[in-house]
Amino acid sequence: MFGSIAGRYDVANSFLSMGIHKWWRRVLASHWRDLPRDRPVLDLCSGTGDVLFDLEKHFDSALGADFCLPMLQRGRERRPSSHFLQADALQLPFQSASFQLVTVSFGIRNVESLERGLSEIYRVLEPEGRVLILEFGQPKNVLWRALFNWYSQYVMPLLGGVLTGNRAAYEYLPETSRLFPCGGDFVTILQRAGFGDVHYSSLSGGIAYLYRAKRPGKV
Ligand SMILES: C[S@@+](CC[C@H](N)C(=O)[O-])C[C@H]1O[C@@H](n2cnc3c(N)ncnc32)[C@H](O)[C@@H]1O
């Protein structure tokens, strides 16, 4: 599915979010500025590279990993000097404790086994390493939620279909957002996966959520 929308994915993102995704990504970036430049970081489910390109501004060694070749190819076209790797989040080709930071933006809900994906993130993080996850959720306010659900159920498939030629993808993506656990529920899932120091903030009234957690150090 991602392969079929890769060429128009970025245009559709900007259009459908009315540019707001850029602000969400800035909030994400504000949570890694205190980390040292010189240790490796990974952007998982990197798609066409938006977060990877932000990581490169701060870190000397940043890698984007995604299993969808057309998304990676689009990313490489956008910035040939960036480091993209084809890899499955369920079986990462990295040694344990390889990264000080793993980011996942709007990708974790698409990973077939959330439990396995989180355990792989945990494994490749250094002790005390940080994971930052940006993902869609559900607004808590009833009116805002109704408006957002109307937009994502009716407007997004229509516009997404026109922009990418794949209406079904833009029916599927909002549906997965609606069903995905958010806020406190996702915090519990992160804690069960072994992460500590788990926090979240809701963005734009709960349309998106940013989760921050750490792999605990040695006890
Ligand atoms: C909605 S896109 C998000 C892309 C990018 N992170 C962004 O913020 O625009 C979700 C991405 O997750 C990738 N993905 C889904 N499951 C994956 C898996 N098991 N392993 C690697 N990548 C995966 C898809 O190929 C797709 O590029």
Side-chain angles (χ1 to χ4, degrees):
M1 185 196 73
F2 285 106
S4 75
I5 59 174
R8 304 280 292 162
Y9 174 79
D10 300 303
V11 176
N13 254 0
S14 289
F15 201 82
L16 295 174
S17 76
M18 299 169 212
I20 294 169
H21 76 112
K22 291 190 179 148
W23 178 69
W24 295 337
R25 292 178 203 282
R26 274 205 293 277
V27 176
L28 172 68
S30 72
H31 288 278
W32 68 55
R33 296 224 173 87
D34 58 316
L35 294 176
R37 289 193 72 91
D38 58 348
R39 293 216 309 279
V41 298
L42 172 69
D43 181 41
L44 189 57
C45 301
S46 63
T48 61
D50 274 352
V51 172
L52 176 63
F53 302 155
D54 286 342
L55 286 167
E56 285 169 346
K57 289 180 199 154
H58 183 82
F59 298 101
D60 298 335
S61 170
L63 178 68
D66 197 291
F67 70 178
C68 176
L69 211 47
M71 292 291 266
L72 294 173
Q73 274 160 354
R74 180 77 197 105
R76 287 179 184 130
E77 279 164 24
R78 290 176 80 198
R79 192 172 293 179
S81 61
S82 291
H83 299 287
F84 285 99
L85 178 81
Q86 190 178 26
D88 187 345
L90 301 181
Q91 204 174 3
L92 291 172
F94 308 115
Q95 288 188 344
S96 299
S98 295
F99 299 98
Q100 64 163 328
L101 167 70
V102 176
T103 55
V104 194
S105 94
F106 305 113
I108 199 75
R109 77 181 191 284
N110 301 122
V111 172
E112 298 89 333
S113 162
L114 182 56
E115 197 186 351
R116 177 87 194 135
L118 291 177
S119 108
E120 276 297 85
I121 292 172
Y122 187 98
R123 184 183 65 76
V124 301
L125 272 177
E126 297 171 351
E128 295 291 331
R130 189 177 299 178
V131 59
L132 296 173
I133 296 176
L134 190 57
E135 192 48 272
F136 286 113
Q138 282 288 303
K140 286 207 167 46
N141 178 283
V142 181
L143 286 177
W144 188 223
R145 186 166 65 231
L147 186 65
F148 174 62
N149 283 341
W150 169 80
Y151 178 77
S152 57
Q153 239 177 307
Y154 299 105
V155 182
M156 272 177 70
L158 192 73
L159 293 180
V162 171
L163 289 166
T164 65
N166 187 345
R167 185 187 168 113
Y170 286 89
E171 283 165 352
Y172 167 81
L173 289 172
E175 179 68 1
T176 54
S177 309
R178 204 173 54 76
L179 300 173
F180 196 73
C182 66
D185 292 340
F186 193 65
V187 165
T188 305
I189 291 172
L190 285 168
Q191 286 167 337
R192 281 202 194 120
F195 291 98
D197 217 353
V198 188
H199 300 277
Y200 77 91
S201 350
S202 74
L203 304 171
S204 305
I207 292 177
Y209 286 76
L210 175 66
Y211 304 93
R212 315 181 291 283
K214 273 187 184 171
R215 175 179 169 163
K218 287 196 183 81
V219 279

mmCIF file of all heavy atoms in Angstrom, residues 9-51:
data_model
loop_
_atom_site.group_PDB
_atom_site.id
_atom_site.type_symbol
_atom_site.label_atom_id
_atom_site.label_comp_id
_atom_site.label_asym_id
_atom_site.label_seq_id
_atom_site.Cartn_x
_atom_site.Cartn_y
_atom_site.Cartn_z
ATOM 1 N N TYR A 9 3.243 10.875 -1.556
ATOM 2 C CA TYR A 9 3.009 10.804 -0.104
ATOM 3 C C TYR A 9 3.239 12.158 0.584
ATOM 4 O O TYR A 9 2.420 12.604 1.393
ATOM 5 C CB TYR A 9 3.914 9.718 0.492
ATOM 6 C CG TYR A 9 3.862 9.650 2.000
ATOM 7 C CD1 TYR A 9 2.811 9.011 2.651
ATOM 8 C CD2 TYR A 9 4.863 10.234 2.778
ATOM 9 C CE1 TYR A 9 2.750 8.963 4.038
ATOM 10 C CE2 TYR A 9 4.809 10.180 4.158
ATOM 11 C CZ TYR A 9 3.760 9.549 4.778
ATOM 12 O OH TYR A 9 3.707 9.511 6.158
ATOM 13 N N ASP A 10 4.339 12.830 0.225
ATOM 14 C CA ASP A 10 4.679 14.077 0.927
ATOM 15 C C ASP A 10 3.689 15.196 0.605
ATOM 16 O O ASP A 10 3.293 15.956 1.490
ATOM 17 C CB ASP A 10 6.111 14.503 0.564
ATOM 18 C CG ASP A 10 7.107 13.433 0.974
ATOM 19 O OD1 ASP A 10 7.129 13.085 2.160
ATOM 20 O OD2 ASP A 10 7.823 12.913 0.098
ATOM 21 N N VAL A 11 3.302 15.266 -0.672
ATOM 22 C CA VAL A 11 2.332 16.297 -1.070
ATOM 23 C C VAL A 11 1.011 16.048 -0.333
ATOM 24 O O VAL A 11 0.409 16.968 0.233
ATOM 25 C CB VAL A 11 2.086 16.230 -2.601
ATOM 26 C CG1 VAL A 11 1.013 17.213 -3.027
ATOM 27 C CG2 VAL A 11 3.382 16.494 -3.349
ATOM 28 N N ALA A 12 0.585 14.773 -0.308
ATOM 29 C CA ALA A 12 -0.678 14.436 0.349
ATOM 30 C C ALA A 12 -0.612 14.769 1.842
ATOM 31 O O ALA A 12 -1.555 15.333 2.401
ATOM 32 C CB ALA A 12 -0.998 12.961 0.141
ATOM 33 N N ASN A 13 0.519 14.457 2.482
ATOM 34 C CA ASN A 13 0.695 14.758 3.915
ATOM 35 C C ASN A 13 0.493 16.227 4.208
ATOM 36 O O ASN A 13 -0.236 16.600 5.113
ATOM 37 C CB ASN A 13 2.140 14.429 4.319
ATOM 38 C CG ASN A 13 2.218 13.166 5.137
ATOM 39 O OD1 ASN A 13 1.205 12.538 5.395
ATOM 40 N ND2 ASN A 13 3.411 12.796 5.517
ATOM 41 N N SER A 14 1.172 17.076 3.435
ATOM 42 C CA SER A 14 1.111 18.517 3.684
ATOM 43 C C SER A 14 -0.297 19.033 3.443
ATOM 44 O O SER A 14 -0.823 19.836 4.212
ATOM 45 C CB SER A 14 2.091 19.267 2.780
ATOM 46 O OG SER A 14 3.379 18.983 3.226
ATOM 47 N N PHE A 15 -0.900 18.547 2.373
ATOM 48 C CA PHE A 15 -2.229 19.016 2.004
ATOM 49 C C PHE A 15 -3.275 18.566 3.038
ATOM 50 O O PHE A 15 -4.041 19.378 3.550
ATOM 51 C CB PHE A 15 -2.570 18.444 0.622
ATOM 52 C CG PHE A 15 -3.632 19.224 -0.082
ATOM 53 C CD1 PHE A 15 -3.320 20.385 -0.786
ATOM 54 C CD2 PHE A 15 -4.951 18.798 -0.038
ATOM 55 C CE1 PHE A 15 -4.311 21.100 -1.431
ATOM 56 C CE2 PHE A 15 -5.948 19.505 -0.678
ATOM 57 C CZ PHE A 15 -5.633 20.661 -1.385
ATOM 58 N N LEU A 16 -3.259 17.270 3.365
ATOM 59 C CA LEU A 16 -4.306 16.722 4.242
ATOM 60 C C LEU A 16 -4.186 17.219 5.682
ATOM 61 O O LEU A 16 -5.179 17.340 6.390
ATOM 62 C CB LEU A 16 -4.282 15.186 4.217
ATOM 63 C CG LEU A 16 -4.628 14.554 2.872
ATOM 64 C CD1 LEU A 16 -4.433 13.044 2.911
ATOM 65 C CD2 LEU A 16 -6.064 14.871 2.483
ATOM 66 N N SER A 17 -2.943 17.498 6.121
ATOM 67 C CA SER A 17 -2.788 17.994 7.493
ATOM 68 C C SER A 17 -2.772 19.522 7.517
ATOM 69 O O SER A 17 -2.584 20.115 8.582
ATOM 70 C CB SER A 17 -1.490 17.462 8.116
ATOM 71 O OG SER A 17 -0.368 18.162 7.611
ATOM 72 N N MET A 18 -2.949 20.142 6.366
ATOM 73 C CA MET A 18 -2.900 21.604 6.220
ATOM 74 C C MET A 18 -1.583 22.148 6.782
ATOM 75 O O MET A 18 -1.534 23.211 7.393
ATOM 76 C CB MET A 18 -4.099 22.260 6.908
ATOM 77 C CG MET A 18 -5.424 21.808 6.325
ATOM 78 S SD MET A 18 -6.785 22.351 7.358
ATOM 79 C CE MET A 18 -7.966 21.043 7.149
ATOM 80 N N GLY A 19 -0.530 21.372 6.601
ATOM 81 C CA GLY A 19 0.808 21.803 7.026
ATOM 82 C C GLY A 19 1.104 21.562 8.504
ATOM 83 O O GLY A 19 2.234 21.757 8.955
ATOM 84 N N ILE A 20 0.094 21.113 9.268
ATOM 85 C CA ILE A 20 0.270 21.006 10.728
ATOM 86 C C ILE A 20 1.292 19.927 11.091
ATOM 87 O O ILE A 20 1.951 20.003 12.127
ATOM 88 C CB ILE A 20 -1.096 20.731 11.419
ATOM 89 C CG1 ILE A 20 -2.002 21.942 11.229
ATOM 90 C CG2 ILE A 20 -0.945 20.455 12.912
ATOM 91 C CD1 ILE A 20 -3.442 21.715 11.629
ATOM 92 N N HIS A 21 1.479 18.918 10.215
ATOM 93 C CA HIS A 21 2.431 17.848 10.548
ATOM 94 C C HIS A 21 3.835 18.412 10.719
ATOM 95 O O HIS A 21 4.646 17.858 11.450
ATOM 96 C CB HIS A 21 2.388 16.720 9.501
ATOM 97 C CG HIS A 21 3.068 17.022 8.215
ATOM 98 N ND1 HIS A 21 4.217 16.381 7.811
ATOM 99 C CD2 HIS A 21 2.785 17.907 7.234
ATOM 100 C CE1 HIS A 21 4.599 16.842 6.651
ATOM 101 N NE2 HIS A 21 3.748 17.764 6.262
ATOM 102 N N LYS A 22 4.104 19.565 10.060
ATOM 103 C CA LYS A 22 5.443 20.156 10.213
ATOM 104 C C LYS A 22 5.647 20.663 11.649
ATOM 105 O O LYS A 22 6.723 20.557 12.211
ATOM 106 C CB LYS A 22 5.641 21.306 9.222
ATOM 107 C CG LYS A 22 5.711 20.765 7.813
ATOM 108 C CD LYS A 22 6.141 21.787 6.810
ATOM 109 C CE LYS A 22 6.186 21.110 5.445
ATOM 110 N NZ LYS A 22 5.860 21.964 4.347
ATOM 111 N N TRP A 23 4.589 21.207 12.236
ATOM 112 C CA TRP A 23 4.673 21.677 13.612
ATOM 113 C C TRP A 23 4.848 20.481 14.552
ATOM 114 O O TRP A 23 5.673 20.508 15.467
ATOM 115 C CB TRP A 23 3.422 22.497 13.977
ATOM 116 C CG TRP A 23 3.465 22.937 15.400
ATOM 117 C CD1 TRP A 23 4.313 23.863 15.939
ATOM 118 C CD2 TRP A 23 2.689 22.410 16.487
ATOM 119 N NE1 TRP A 23 4.106 23.947 17.308
ATOM 120 C CE2 TRP A 23 3.111 23.076 17.658
ATOM 121 C CE3 TRP A 23 1.688 21.455 16.582
ATOM 122 C CZ2 TRP A 23 2.557 22.814 18.906
ATOM 123 C CZ3 TRP A 23 1.138 21.199 17.826
ATOM 124 C CH2 TRP A 23 1.576 21.880 18.972
ATOM 125 N N TRP A 24 4.080 19.407 14.320
ATOM 126 C CA TRP A 24 4.214 18.208 15.173
ATOM 127 C C TRP A 24 5.650 17.695 15.118
ATOM 128 O O TRP A 24 6.220 17.275 16.120
ATOM 129 C CB TRP A 24 3.271 17.096 14.696
ATOM 130 C CG TRP A 24 1.814 17.413 14.816
ATOM 131 C CD1 TRP A 24 1.231 18.323 15.659
ATOM 132 C CD2 TRP A 24 0.740 16.824 14.064
ATOM 133 N NE1 TRP A 24 -0.129 18.327 15.476
ATOM 134 C CE2 TRP A 24 -0.463 17.420 14.518
ATOM 135 C CE3 TRP A 24 0.670 15.854 13.062
ATOM 136 C CZ2 TRP A 24 -1.710 17.070 13.988
ATOM 137 C CZ3 TRP A 24 -0.564 15.502 12.553
ATOM 138 C CH2 TRP A 24 -1.736 16.105 13.009
ATOM 139 N N ARG A 25 6.254 17.726 13.931
ATOM 140 C CA ARG A 25 7.633 17.220 13.798
ATOM 141 C C ARG A 25 8.620 18.147 14.518
ATOM 142 O O ARG A 25 9.644 17.702 15.029
ATOM 143 C CB ARG A 25 8.005 17.075 12.321
ATOM 144 C CG ARG A 25 7.226 15.974 11.610
ATOM 145 C CD ARG A 25 7.592 15.913 10.137
ATOM 146 N NE ARG A 25 6.561 15.287 9.331
ATOM 147 C CZ ARG A 25 6.354 13.985 9.240
ATOM 148 N NH1 ARG A 25 7.115 13.153 9.907
ATOM 149 N NH2 ARG A 25 5.385 13.513 8.476
ATOM 150 N N ARG A 26 8.295 19.450 14.581
ATOM 151 C CA ARG A 26 9.162 20.373 15.330
ATOM 152 C C ARG A 26 9.099 20.067 16.823
ATOM 153 O O ARG A 26 10.097 20.117 17.533
ATOM 154 C CB ARG A 26 8.754 21.832 15.065
ATOM 155 C CG ARG A 26 9.430 22.393 13.823
ATOM 156 C CD ARG A 26 9.552 23.915 13.873
ATOM 157 N NE ARG A 26 8.261 24.576 13.810
ATOM 158 C CZ ARG A 26 7.601 24.829 12.682
ATOM 159 N NH1 ARG A 26 8.123 24.507 11.531
ATOM 160 N NH2 ARG A 26 6.437 25.430 12.717
ATOM 161 N N VAL A 27 7.889 19.739 17.301
ATOM 162 C CA VAL A 27 7.751 19.365 18.718
ATOM 163 C C VAL A 27 8.579 18.104 18.981
ATOM 164 O O VAL A 27 9.308 18.016 19.970
ATOM 165 C CB VAL A 27 6.259 19.122 19.091
ATOM 166 C CG1 VAL A 27 6.138 18.647 20.532
ATOM 167 C CG2 VAL A 27 5.438 20.383 18.872
ATOM 168 N N LEU A 28 8.503 17.130 18.086
ATOM 169 C CA LEU A 28 9.299 15.903 18.211
ATOM 170 C C LEU A 28 10.790 16.255 18.321
ATOM 171 O O LEU A 28 11.487 15.782 19.225
ATOM 172 C CB LEU A 28 9.036 15.012 16.982
ATOM 173 C CG LEU A 28 9.888 13.766 16.791
ATOM 174 C CD1 LEU A 28 9.581 12.732 17.862
ATOM 175 C CD2 LEU A 28 9.638 13.140 15.412
ATOM 176 N N ALA A 29 11.261 17.116 17.424
ATOM 177 C CA ALA A 29 12.694 17.462 17.394
ATOM 178 C C ALA A 29 13.130 18.159 18.686
ATOM 179 O O ALA A 29 14.294 18.037 19.094
ATOM 180 C CB ALA A 29 12.993 18.342 16.184
ATOM 181 N N SER A 30 12.191 18.864 19.348
ATOM 182 C CA SER A 30 12.577 19.575 20.572
ATOM 183 C C SER A 30 12.939 18.581 21.693
ATOM 184 O O SER A 30 13.528 18.977 22.687
ATOM 185 C CB SER A 30 11.453 20.507 21.026
ATOM 186 O OG SER A 30 10.382 19.746 21.544
ATOM 187 N N HIS A 31 12.597 17.303 21.524
ATOM 188 C CA HIS A 31 12.872 16.308 22.575
ATOM 189 C C HIS A 31 14.155 15.517 22.347
ATOM 190 O O HIS A 31 14.384 14.521 23.030
ATOM 191 C CB HIS A 31 11.685 15.363 22.721
ATOM 192 C CG HIS A 31 10.509 16.034 23.359
ATOM 193 N ND1 HIS A 31 10.394 16.190 24.722
ATOM 194 C CD2 HIS A 31 9.437 16.643 22.807
ATOM 195 C CE1 HIS A 31 9.274 16.849 24.981
ATOM 196 N NE2 HIS A 31 8.674 17.132 23.843
ATOM 197 N N TRP A 32 14.946 15.900 21.365
ATOM 198 C CA TRP A 32 16.252 15.212 21.227
ATOM 199 C C TRP A 32 17.420 16.192 21.297
ATOM 200 O O TRP A 32 18.575 15.805 21.237
ATOM 201 C CB TRP A 32 16.299 14.357 19.956
ATOM 202 C CG TRP A 32 16.295 15.067 18.622
ATOM 203 C CD1 TRP A 32 17.158 16.042 18.195
ATOM 204 C CD2 TRP A 32 15.401 14.827 17.527
ATOM 205 N NE1 TRP A 32 16.858 16.423 16.910
ATOM 206 C CE2 TRP A 32 15.774 15.687 16.469
ATOM 207 C CE3 TRP A 32 14.327 13.965 17.315
ATOM 208 C CZ2 TRP A 32 15.113 15.713 15.235
ATOM 209 C CZ3 TRP A 32 13.674 14.002 16.083
ATOM 210 C CH2 TRP A 32 14.061 14.869 15.070
ATOM 211 N N ARG A 33 17.133 17.494 21.457
ATOM 212 C CA ARG A 33 18.206 18.494 21.389
ATOM 213 C C ARG A 33 19.234 18.359 22.497
ATOM 214 O O ARG A 33 20.363 18.819 22.345
ATOM 215 C CB ARG A 33 17.612 19.909 21.417
ATOM 216 C CG ARG A 33 16.756 20.167 20.204
ATOM 217 C CD ARG A 33 16.974 21.518 19.560
ATOM 218 N NE ARG A 33 16.212 21.562 18.316
ATOM 219 C CZ ARG A 33 14.934 21.939 18.230
ATOM 220 N NH1 ARG A 33 14.290 22.349 19.312
ATOM 221 N NH2 ARG A 33 14.309 21.942 17.074
ATOM 222 N N ASP A 34 18.849 17.729 23.627
ATOM 223 C CA ASP A 34 19.786 17.609 24.747
ATOM 224 C C ASP A 34 20.723 16.402 24.590
ATOM 225 O O ASP A 34 21.624 16.207 25.400
ATOM 226 C CB ASP A 34 19.009 17.464 26.066
ATOM 227 C CG ASP A 34 18.080 16.255 26.048
ATOM 228 O OD1 ASP A 34 17.395 16.053 25.031
ATOM 229 O OD2 ASP A 34 18.068 15.494 27.036
ATOM 230 N N LEU A 35 20.512 15.602 23.553
ATOM 231 C CA LEU A 35 21.340 14.387 23.402
ATOM 232 C C LEU A 35 22.660 14.710 22.694
ATOM 233 O O LEU A 35 22.713 15.640 21.880
ATOM 234 C CB LEU A 35 20.563 13.335 22.592
ATOM 235 C CG LEU A 35 19.317 12.771 23.277
ATOM 236 C CD1 LEU A 35 18.568 11.818 22.345
ATOM 237 C CD2 LEU A 35 19.690 12.051 24.559
ATOM 238 N N PRO A 36 23.729 13.942 22.987
ATOM 239 C CA PRO A 36 25.019 14.217 22.349
ATOM 240 C C PRO A 36 24.970 13.964 20.837
ATOM 241 O O PRO A 36 24.270 13.066 20.372
ATOM 242 C CB PRO A 36 25.972 13.227 23.035
ATOM 243 C CG PRO A 36 25.116 12.208 23.689
ATOM 244 C CD PRO A 36 23.784 12.828 23.965
ATOM 245 N N ARG A 37 25.736 14.737 20.107
ATOM 246 C CA ARG A 37 25.745 14.657 18.628
ATOM 247 C C ARG A 37 26.351 13.367 18.102
ATOM 248 O O ARG A 37 26.023 12.916 17.010
ATOM 249 C CB ARG A 37 26.643 15.789 18.059
ATOM 250 C CG ARG A 37 26.154 17.176 18.164
ATOM 251 C CD ARG A 37 27.018 18.074 17.275
ATOM 252 N NE ARG A 37 26.729 17.817 15.871
ATOM 253 C CZ ARG A 37 25.815 18.472 15.174
ATOM 254 N NH1 ARG A 37 25.117 19.427 15.731
ATOM 255 N NH2 ARG A 37 25.603 18.185 13.903
ATOM 256 N N ASP A 38 27.294 12.818 18.878
ATOM 257 C CA ASP A 38 28.225 11.861 18.276
ATOM 258 C C ASP A 38 27.848 10.397 18.439
ATOM 259 O O ASP A 38 28.630 9.531 18.102
ATOM 260 C CB ASP A 38 29.637 12.120 18.845
ATOM 261 C CG ASP A 38 29.644 11.988 20.356
ATOM 262 O OD1 ASP A 38 28.549 11.934 20.940
ATOM 263 O OD2 ASP A 38 30.734 11.932 20.942
ATOM 264 N N ARG A 39 26.640 10.094 18.938
ATOM 265 C CA ARG A 39 26.267 8.681 19.043
ATOM 266 C C ARG A 39 25.098 8.415 18.091
ATOM 267 O O ARG A 39 24.230 9.275 17.885
ATOM 268 C CB ARG A 39 25.916 8.314 20.493
ATOM 269 C CG ARG A 39 27.170 8.400 21.400
ATOM 270 C CD ARG A 39 27.205 7.332 22.472
ATOM 271 N NE ARG A 39 25.989 7.264 23.242
ATOM 272 C CZ ARG A 39 25.688 8.079 24.262
ATOM 273 N NH1 ARG A 39 26.542 9.040 24.616
ATOM 274 N NH2 ARG A 39 24.559 7.939 24.919
ATOM 275 N N PRO A 40 25.031 7.194 17.497
ATOM 276 C CA PRO A 40 24.077 6.930 16.413
ATOM 277 C C PRO A 40 22.605 6.983 16.838
ATOM 278 O O PRO A 40 22.265 6.636 17.968
ATOM 279 C CB PRO A 40 24.425 5.503 15.972
ATOM 280 C CG PRO A 40 25.726 5.186 16.568
ATOM 281 C CD PRO A 40 25.935 6.062 17.757
ATOM 282 N N VAL A 41 21.779 7.402 15.890
ATOM 283 C CA VAL A 41 20.331 7.458 16.113
ATOM 284 C C VAL A 41 19.622 6.814 14.919
ATOM 285 O O VAL A 41 20.153 6.792 13.804
ATOM 286 C CB VAL A 41 19.845 8.920 16.296
ATOM 287 C CG1 VAL A 41 20.485 9.558 17.513
ATOM 288 C CG2 VAL A 41 20.100 9.771 15.057
ATOM 289 N N LEU A 42 18.418 6.294 15.175
ATOM 290 C CA LEU A 42 17.664 5.573 14.145
ATOM 291 C C LEU A 42 16.261 6.155 14.019
ATOM 292 O O LEU A 42 15.576 6.341 15.028
ATOM 293 C CB LEU A 42 17.547 4.092 14.558
ATOM 294 C CG LEU A 42 16.632 3.205 13.703
ATOM 295 C CD1 LEU A 42 17.237 2.985 12.311
ATOM 296 C CD2 LEU A 42 16.393 1.852 14.389
ATOM 297 N N ASP A 43 15.846 6.426 12.775
ATOM 298 C CA ASP A 43 14.446 6.760 12.524
ATOM 299 C C ASP A 43 13.802 5.534 11.882
ATOM 300 O O ASP A 43 14.105 5.196 10.734
ATOM 301 C CB ASP A 43 14.323 7.994 11.613
ATOM 302 C CG ASP A 43 12.859 8.347 11.378
ATOM 303 O OD1 ASP A 43 12.077 8.270 12.340
ATOM 304 O OD2 ASP A 43 12.498 8.686 10.235
ATOM 305 N N LEU A 44 12.911 4.903 12.635
ATOM 306 C CA LEU A 44 12.284 3.660 12.184
ATOM 307 C C LEU A 44 10.968 3.979 11.484
ATOM 308 O O LEU A 44 10.278 4.924 11.863
ATOM 309 C CB LEU A 44 12.051 2.777 13.417
ATOM 310 C CG LEU A 44 11.610 1.343 13.183
ATOM 311 C CD1 LEU A 44 12.601 0.602 12.304
ATOM 312 C CD2 LEU A 44 11.491 0.630 14.534
ATOM 313 N N CYS A 45 10.624 3.165 10.469
ATOM 314 C CA CYS A 45 9.447 3.442 9.614
ATOM 315 C C CYS A 45 9.627 4.842 9.025
ATOM 316 O O CYS A 45 8.714 5.675 9.066
ATOM 317 C CB CYS A 45 8.150 3.347 10.387
ATOM 318 S SG CYS A 45 7.868 1.750 11.138
ATOM 319 N N SER A 46 10.810 5.083 8.503
ATOM 320 C CA SER A 46 11.234 6.438 8.118
ATOM 321 C C SER A 46 10.470 6.993 6.928
ATOM 322 O O SER A 46 10.466 8.201 6.711
ATOM 323 C CB SER A 46 12.719 6.422 7.778
ATOM 324 O OG SER A 46 12.926 5.571 6.663
ATOM 325 N N GLY A 47 9.818 6.121 6.134
ATOM 326 C CA GLY A 47 9.117 6.614 4.955
ATOM 327 C C GLY A 47 10.069 7.387 4.058
ATOM 328 O O GLY A 47 11.201 6.952 3.802
ATOM 329 N N THR A 48 9.642 8.576 3.643
ATOM 330 C CA THR A 48 10.437 9.357 2.686
ATOM 331 C C THR A 48 11.413 10.308 3.376
ATOM 332 O O THR A 48 12.018 11.134 2.708
ATOM 333 C CB THR A 48 9.512 10.145 1.755
ATOM 334 O OG1 THR A 48 8.740 11.034 2.570
ATOM 335 C CG2 THR A 48 8.567 9.246 0.979
ATOM 336 N N GLY A 49 11.529 10.223 4.711
ATOM 337 C CA GLY A 49 12.666 10.864 5.364
ATOM 338 C C GLY A 49 12.451 12.149 6.142
ATOM 339 O O GLY A 49 13.433 12.719 6.621
ATOM 340 N N ASP A 50 11.215 12.615 6.302
ATOM 341 C CA ASP A 50 11.025 13.907 6.983
ATOM 342 C C ASP A 50 11.749 13.980 8.331
ATOM 343 O O ASP A 50 12.453 14.953 8.609
ATOM 344 C CB ASP A 50 9.533 14.188 7.210
ATOM 345 C CG ASP A 50 8.889 14.846 6.001
ATOM 346 O OD1 ASP A 50 9.630 15.220 5.065
ATOM 347 O OD2 ASP A 50 7.651 14.975 5.984
ATOM 348 N N VAL A 51 11.577 12.942 9.172
ATOM 349 C CA VAL A 51 12.197 12.989 10.504
ATOM 350 C C VAL A 51 13.702 12.755 10.398
ATOM 351 O O VAL A 51 14.498 13.405 11.081
ATOM 352 C CB VAL A 51 11.528 11.968 11.457
ATOM 353 C CG1 VAL A 51 12.279 11.867 12.776
ATOM 354 C CG2 VAL A 51 10.078 12.365 11.714
#
